Amino acid sequence: MEKRVKRSRTLHGLLLGYLLHTGLACAAAAVLWFGAILAVIETGFVLPAYSGSDAALRAMEILPEMSAEHFDASALPELCRWVVLDTAVAPGGDAAPENVLATNMDSRSLELALGLDTPPLYTQFYRDVPLIDGTLCRLQYDFALPYADPALRGVLPDFQSCMTVILFLLLAGVVFTMTRRTARRLRTTAGPLAEACRLLAGGDLAAPMPGPTRVREFDEALQTMDRLRGELAQSLKTQWAMEQQRAERMAALTHDLKTPLAIVQGNAELLAEEELSAGQRPLVEAILRGAGRAGQYLAALRDVCTPQPAPAASEEFPLRPFCEKLAATGEALCTPRGVRFAWEDHLPGACTLQARQQDLARGVENLLANAARFAPRDGLVTLACREEGGQILFTVEDDGPGFPQEVLRGCGRTFATGDAARSDGHQGLGLYGARTVAEAHGGRLTLENTGHGARATLAVQAACAGNA
C-alpha cells in the first residue's frame, strides 16, 4: 500500500484555514450556548423572552375597566411594570414626575418610562392604556429572560446579562484556544527553518537539511538554504585547496632559497677570513649582513607557511609566579643589549588566572623582545601587570624611537612594519603573534606612542579568581 504524502500548503491557505476553523468553532460554541439557554427554559428556572410581552397584552385587556381611584395592581400580571399618569399626559407623550399618581417601578425604570427611553445596549417597550377616568397607565416591559421565581428577580443578577457575559467568555476562550493551537503548529512547522539556520551558523555544511515543512514558502526557504549550503561548501573547499596549494608553493620556494643563500653566505664567510683590502672588507661585511637579513626573512616566511598547532587547552594557574617568569624573560632579553629592565607588580593579592598559559607567555614575550630590540643602549624596558575592569593587562613600555605610523595603523597585522622595523630585519610577526593571543582570549592588543617611546598593552578577557 502506497504511503500517502501530504500536500504542501501556502501561508495564505494556512491562515484562511485558521479563520475558517475558528469561525466554525465559534458557531458551534454559540449553538451550545443557545441550547443551554433552551434547556434552562425547559426546566422552568427562567421564563421565555416573550413572557413580558404576553403579560403586557393581558394587562391591556384589564386596564380599560379601571380608574386611577380604583386601580387594582394585584389584578395585573407580575411581570408588568406600570405607572399611572394624570390626565395632563397624552398617550405616547413624555411625562414629568409631578404627573405620576402611582407606580410599581424603581426610580431608574420610572425615569426611563416618563421619557419613553431605553437603557444603552438594551431595548424596552411601552404600552399606553387610557383608563375610564381619562388618566393613563403606561406599561413597561422588555424582551428578556426573567427568572420564574419572583423572589429571585431582585436578588440574582439579570439572567440575560449573565448569559451574554458567558457567551463572550466562551467565544474568547475558543479564539484563544484556536490561536494557540495554530501558533503551536506554526512553531512546529517553522522548526526545520530554525534548525537549518543553526546548521549554517554553526558551520556544519555536511549535515543534511531538515525535512519538508509542508508549507510552500517554508519549503522554498529550505531549498534556498540547501543550495546556499552546497555553494558555500564548494567555495570553502576550493578556497582551502587554493590555500593549501599556495602554502605548499611557498614552503617549496623557502626550501629552494635556502641553498643559494647558504652558498652566498658560506662564500662570504670564506672571503672574510682572507686578507682583504680596506675597500673590500666593507663590501664583504655588507654581503654577510644581507645574507643574515635574508635568513631572517626566510625564517619568518617559513613560520608563516608552517601550519599552526592546535591551541593548548585553557588552564587555571597562579598569576604572580607567571608574571615573575615573564619578568625573568624580560631581564634575559634586555641584559645582553645593555638595556635596563623593570617590573611593576599591580596585581590584587594572590589570584589565579584561567587562560592558555603557553600562548599567553609567548604573546607577552614577543612584546618584550620587540621592546628590547628597539630600546637604546642603557635605555629602559618596563613590564607592568595589573587587573582592570575584568581584564588582565600586560603593558610593555620602552624609551626607543616609538612605533612608525604603519605599525600603529596595522596594530599587529602580519607584515605591518615601518622603516625602523625593517632596518632590523623585523617583519611584524611578534606583534602579530601578540595580537592573535589577545584575541584568542577575548581581549585585544593596543599600540601607542608615549612621546618618549612606545607602549604595547596586551589585554585578556579573564578576571582574577580567588582573590586573597
Side-chain angles (χ1 to χ4, degrees):
M1 183 176 180
E2 291 187 2
K3 184 179 179 180
R4 297 183 61 183
V5 179
K6 294 185 178 181
R7 297 173 56 188
S8 62
R9 302 175 60 186
T10 64
L11 280 174
H12 180 264
L14 190 66
L15 294 177
L16 282 180
Y18 159 73
L19 293 177
L20 178 62
H21 293 152
T22 303
L24 292 176
C26 288
V31 170
L32 291 176
W33 172 83
F34 187 72
I37 292 179
L38 293 180
V40 172
I41 293 175
E42 288 293 330
T43 62
F45 183 71
V46 294
L47 300 176
Y50 55 80
S51 298
S53 176
D54 289 349
L57 292 176
R58 293 196 303 271
M60 290 176 65
E61 297 176 354
I62 302 172
L63 285 172
E65 300 177 358
M66 295 185 184
S67 64
E69 186 178 356
H70 300 89
F71 190 84
D72 186 7
S74 62
L76 300 179
E78 294 179 352
L79 292 178
C80 280
R81 296 187 298 272
W82 52 266
V83 57
V84 179
L85 305 173
D86 59 23
T87 57
V89 180
D94 293 343
E98 56 269 19
N99 299 127
V100 177
L101 299 177
T103 185
N104 70 340
M105 299 182 187
D106 57 29
S107 58
R108 176 56 180 163
S109 298
L110 180 60
E111 180 183 356
L112 294 173
L114 294 179
L116 297 173
D117 295 329
T118 60
L121 305 177
Y122 201 68
T123 302
Q124 288 184 335
F125 302 92
Y126 299 94
R127 291 288 188 270
D128 286 346
V129 182
L131 303 182
I132 58 176
D133 58 356
T135 57
L136 187 70
C137 181
R138 178 165 293 173
L139 301 176
Q140 183 189 69
Y141 64 94
D142 41 37
F143 197 79
L145 298 172
Y147 294 103
D149 189 351
L152 299 178
R153 294 172 192 166
V155 178
L156 297 180
D158 180 69
F159 180 79
Q160 185 164 297
S161 300
C162 292
M163 293 303 296
T164 302
V165 172
I166 291 175
L167 176 62
F168 282 130
L169 293 177
L170 185 61
L171 294 179
V174 168
V175 172
F176 175 79
T177 302
M178 296 300 296
T179 302
R180 187 173 181 180
R181 174 176 173 271
T182 303
R184 185 166 57 248
R185 180 181 177 187
L186 279 176
R187 282 196 299 269
T188 303
T189 303
L193 279 179
E195 180 64 22
C197 291
R198 283 193 293 269
L199 290 176
L200 291 179
D204 189 358
L205 303 180
M209 286 287 104
T213 63
R214 296 194 299 274
V215 175
R216 190 174 304 167
E217 289 82 357
F218 290 174
D219 289 341
E220 290 175 355
L222 282 176
Q223 292 173 5
T224 302
M225 289 183 182
D226 191 39
R227 289 195 297 270
L228 177 62
R229 178 185 63 87
E231 293 174 0
L232 184 59
Q234 183 61 36
S235 175
L236 290 177
K237 183 178 180 180
T238 303
Q239 181 180 358
W240 181 84
M242 293 176 61
E243 291 290 338
Q244 186 74 11
Q245 186 179 17
R246 184 178 65 175
E248 292 174 355
R249 290 180 179 177
M250 293 288 289
L253 180 60
T254 303
H255 182 271
D256 292 343
L257 284 176
K258 288 173 60 178
T259 300
L261 181 61
I263 294 175
V264 172
Q265 188 170 10
N267 284 278
E269 290 173 353
L270 291 175
L271 287 175
E273 296 175 358
E274 298 292 332
E275 292 292 335
L276 301 176
S277 64
Q280 292 174 336
R281 177 66 60 181
L283 297 178
V284 173
E285 292 177 352
I287 294 174
L288 288 174
R289 286 196 302 272
R293 187 177 300 116
Q296 292 177 344
Y297 291 166
L298 283 178
L301 189 60
R302 185 174 59 251
D303 291 339
V304 172
C305 297
T306 302
Q308 296 296 322
S314 178
E315 58 182 321
E316 185 175 341
F317 55 90
L319 185 56
R320 180 163 281 102
F322 173 76
C323 294
E324 291 175 352
K325 292 180 181 179
L326 292 177
T329 300
E331 183 76 30
L333 290 170
C334 293
T335 300
R337 296 177 176 269
V339 178
R340 293 175 292 123
F341 177 79
W343 175 40
E344 297 179 1
D345 181 7
H346 303 295
L347 297 173
C351 60
T352 59
L353 185 66
Q354 186 74 28
R356 291 191 287 271
Q357 185 174 357
Q358 293 183 354
D359 293 349
L360 188 57
R362 184 172 66 253
V364 179
E365 289 172 358
N366 286 346
L367 299 181
L368 291 171
N370 207 46
R373 181 183 296 114
F374 294 109
R377 188 171 185 82
D378 202 30
L380 177 65
V381 172
T382 303
L383 169 64
C385 305
R386 68 183 186 276
E387 192 269 342
E388 182 178 299
Q391 290 185 322
I392 302 299
L393 306 182
F394 302 91
T395 301
V396 178
E397 189 171 347
D398 65 72
D399 52 3
F403 293 111
Q405 290 301 316
E406 292 83 354
V407 174
L408 292 177
R409 285 194 295 268
C411 192
R413 292 182 175 85
T414 312
F415 299 116
T417 63
D419 293 338
R422 285 196 297 270
S423 65
D424 194 52
H426 179 57
Q427 284 296 311
L429 290 175
L431 294 179
Y432 171 73
R435 174 174 175 261
T436 303
V437 169
E439 292 177 350
H441 287 81
R444 60 178 301 179
L445 175 67
T446 304
L447 305 179
E448 56 184 327
N449 289 328
T450 62
H452 52 78
R455 180 187 297 129
T457 301
L458 191 155
V460 294
Q461 193 66 33
C464 280
N467 290 342

